[in-house]
Amino acid sequence: MMTSDAPIGVFDSGIGGLTVAREIMRNLPMEKIVYFGDTARVPYGNKSKATIVRYSLQITNFLRTQGIKALVIACNTATSMALPEVSEFAGMPVIGVVEPGARVAAETTRNGRIGVIGTRATISANAYTNAIHSINPSLNVIGQACPMLVPLVEEGWVHDHVTDEILMRYLDDLLEHDIDTLILGCTHYPLLRSAIKRLVGNQVNLVNPAYETAKELERMLGREGLASDSPRNQDEPYPYRFFVSDEAEKFTDFANSILPVDVGRARMIPIEEY
Ligand code: DGL
């Protein structure tokens, strides 16, 4: 029996999902979070569907041992490749990041031309195109795989002229299609937001699905009667717990640099055993 004061499970292939966890912390301050970053096996974006499904199910299995009440797949690649499998397996409400991002892009575009950047897996699965077309089939969606961006973010090269040049190679094509909306279709990319904004200019609206995912999570918890309604008291244990499959210290440093709270210590777990 799931209780409303149980934590929410959030996972990603690495640090990218922290951009989603950050929005959940900001928008749903009464909710607890158990985060898992698969730092030993990142990146997922160049791997096959079978592998991404297997990894996602192992992580779901691990997060279930933490007594979670709902699960957020804070990774576009895992959402694109494994959302139905995870939903079937989890035995609790599950949301991904693609649908919420697609909805806001479909609602806000003015000229009907939407660009999407993501990993190879996300773009080749046509995840955003399908989600946007199920809302409005007349919209034009142009996808661009950007396989080099995740390693650059994982390395911390977010303000670097090399990253700018690589970004420009990826974005040039999209800009030629006269897009007015660009979906940051990988949870690592909001960390490059200021560079991307500078390169695409003010006429292109950036959509960060992390924000919409937090809103969707709030609606879903309300619908399911799972929203936490008791403010935490001082004696309660720390509300956010972090687990990784490798390099816990590096992850902790990074998480502390982008989250509005002190992360404590991320713990390493043997994810292959789940
Ligand atoms: N952050 C992930 C995403 O949203 C994937 C990055 C990767 O592991 O390739 O797609």
Side-chain angles (χ1 to χ4, degrees), residues 242-263:
F242 298 86
F243 295 89
V244 291
S245 47
D246 203 2
E247 297 210 281
E249 222 161 279
K250 188 174 162 209
F251 175 92
T252 304
D253 288 347
F254 183 80
N256 274 326
S257 75
I258 72 152
L259 292 180
V261 294
D262 181 8
V263 166

Side-chain angles (χ1 to χ4, degrees), residues 93-95 103 215-227:
V94 177
I95 61 169
R103 189 163 356 97
K215 291 278 162 213
E216 176 64 29
L217 175 65
E218 186 174 14
R219 286 190 287 272
M220 185 261 271
L221 293 174
R223 238 180 6 249
E224 303 282 337
L226 287 173

Side-chain angles (χ1 to χ4, degrees), residues 12-13 16-17 42-46 74-77 119 122 150 185-188:
D12 179 46
S13 58
V42 67
Y44 282 12
N46 303 327
C75 173
N76 291 264
T77 307
T119 64
T122 300
V150 167
C186 171
T187 52
H188 283 69

